[in-house]
Amino acid sequence: MNARLPAAEMVAGIPVPTLDDIAAEHIALAPWVTRTPHFEKTDFLSLEDTQLHFKLELLQFAGTFKTRAAFSNMLALSESQRNMGVTCASAGNHAVAVAYAAMRLGISAKIVVTRGGTRSRLELARHYGADVVVVDNPAQALDLVQRIVVDEARTLLSPFHGYRTVLGTATLGYEWATQVPQLDAVVVPIGGGLAAGMSTAFRLTNPACSIYGVEPRDADALSQSMATGKPVRTGTRASFDDRLAPDDTGQYSYELCRRHLDRVVTVSDAELGDAMLRLFDQLKLAVEPSCAAPLAALLGPLRGALAGKRVGIVLCGSNTDPDVWSSQLLRAAAQRG
């Protein structure tokens, strides 16, 4: 088991959050985010021998764990930075979280999205008051957001990387560990800095807890990085849910995951769909594929290793279009037969 990190350690020139840092950030975020509920289920069909403990982060403000990181980044802005506003390139939950946090804090947000992005997320970002600019492809989005930074002096907020992003997601792990201090294992999806932050928090609060990451089989940037010993950039790859498929891990997040995750597993699109269907059947929850990934891993590659244990499953978000969600469930039901 990995040892607790020393307080002053740096990775890629960036400080590693200490337990005191995470606890202080949890207090700082308390007025801005909600302490999401949790519950234990011991009769989940096909997993009756395992005590499942669900963390309902899908009930977080703006419907996503990324709200924590958005506030963590924006609360650290100087007065002049707040006055100039923020920007990001995202058609996913990062866009929604940034728009929501900016609205609450009275900060201007300009968000660049790619045409064809999930309709509900774009509508939410606009509802929260963000200036949403639509472009044709990811390359144009990245180019435009960089020009916005230069021309308008807005602060760019990354959906995946950086100290404040990891610190924000670490508060989710810290909160959960204080709610349930004796989990044997937790399973978290890879992407959005979630695994880096949560694994750091759990390693510090509960060193005996095993920590597993899960990513799609066809978008396995972290698995490839672990195998090669350095961050791998995969480029755009097909996936059931692109929120779970960042094209690179980044040195900082990679190093934290490398140190703190006991194992990274992959799941197929069919396994993601089946887990979504099971969450609807048994918990009546309508979730996006990234939210179902930990359950898919527990039903699949981690089933034998975690049988009979008390396992934490984080349900990280649920912003999805009804038509997309229903088509994914119909596909999963057809594959199940």
Side-chain angles (χ1 to χ4, degrees):
M1 187 62 65
N2 298 305
R4 176 172 170 170
L5 289 173
E9 185 161 5
M10 307 282 284
V11 167
I14 302 172
V16 174
T18 67
L19 184 57
D20 287 344
D21 294 335
I22 298 169
E25 189 68 5
H26 188 257
I27 294 171
L29 293 183
W32 307 104
V33 302
T34 188
R35 184 178 176 90
T36 51
H38 58 96
F39 77 99
E40 189 170 290
K41 187 171 179 63
T42 57
D43 60 348
F44 198 94
L45 297 181
S46 300
L47 292 170
E48 292 89 349
D49 59 346
T50 303
Q51 298 180 53
L52 300 188
H53 189 94
F54 292 94
K55 176 65 168 167
L56 300 181
E57 187 67 7
L58 79 173
L59 299 179
Q60 184 55 256
F61 295 140
T64 173
F65 76 94
K66 290 175 180 283
T67 301
R68 296 175 185 262
F71 274 112
S72 182
N73 277 285
M74 278 187 247
L75 289 171
L77 296 177
S78 67
E79 183 177 354
S80 62
Q81 288 174 317
R82 287 191 179 208
N83 290 337
M84 298 310 296
V86 297
T87 188
C88 70
S90 170
N93 284 322
H94 181 57
V96 177
V98 168
Y100 176 80
M103 176 191 69
R104 291 278 306 276
L105 293 171
I107 297 173
S108 168
K110 179 176 283 190
I111 296 169
V112 183
V113 304
T114 302
R115 197 177 309 280
T118 304
R119 184 181 66 255
S120 61
R121 293 179 175 87
L122 303 188
E123 290 175 352
L124 269 177
R126 289 192 175 102
H127 172 74
Y128 294 142
D131 179 5
V132 177
V133 182
V134 181
V135 297
D136 289 331
N137 57 61
Q140 290 179 357
L142 293 175
D143 178 67
L144 178 55
V145 81
Q146 293 295 339
R147 284 192 278 120
I148 290 171
V149 169
V150 173
D151 296 343
E152 301 181 24
R154 292 177 181 269
T155 299
L156 177 62
L157 302 183
S158 168
F160 306 119
H161 310 308
Y163 174 77
R164 302 297 311 190
T165 296
V166 168
L167 184 63
T169 61
T171 66
L172 172 55
Y174 175 84
E175 178 178 292
W176 197 7
T178 59
Q179 290 171 322
V180 190
Q182 295 181 334
L183 289 173
D184 297 316
V186 293
V187 188
V188 299
I190 304 298
L194 181 61
M198 286 195 65
S199 64
T200 298
F202 267 98
R203 188 61 68 218
L204 292 170
T205 56
N206 184 2
C209 180
S210 298
I211 310 166
Y212 298 90
V214 55
E215 59 186 349
R217 193 162 298 155
D218 293 330
D220 57 346
L222 184 58
S223 294
Q224 291 190 50
S225 299
M226 294 287 199
T228 60
K230 62 181 180 180
V232 170
R233 188 174 188 87
T234 61
T236 303
R237 304 183 68 181
S239 174
F240 197 48
D241 187 347
D242 59 7
R243 267 72 61 194
L244 199 60
D247 62 1
D248 75 285
T249 57
Q251 184 67 43
Y252 184 63
S253 292
Y254 159 74
E255 186 62 27
L256 294 178
C257 287
R258 185 190 68 80
R259 296 180 183 201
H260 298 150
L261 293 177
D262 292 277
R263 182 180 169 191
V264 178
V265 300
T266 62
V267 292
S268 67
D269 288 352
E271 288 172 317
L272 286 170
D274 180 65
M276 291 173 62
L277 188 56
R278 289 173 186 267
L279 285 169
F280 178 72
D281 285 343
Q282 298 189 52
L283 302 183
K284 306 308 175 190
L285 295 175
V287 306
E288 58 197 55
S290 57
C291 187
L295 179 63
L298 185 58
L299 287 163
L302 295 178
R303 187 166 187 166
L306 298 182
K309 299 184 183 295
R310 194 176 193 197
V311 181
I313 298 291
V314 59
L315 301 178
C316 61
S318 63
N319 289 321
T320 186
D321 290 345
D323 55 344
V324 173
W325 177 78
S326 60
S327 68
Q328 290 170 332
L329 257 65
L330 287 171
R331 190 192 323 173
Q335 290 173 333
R336 180 186 289 183

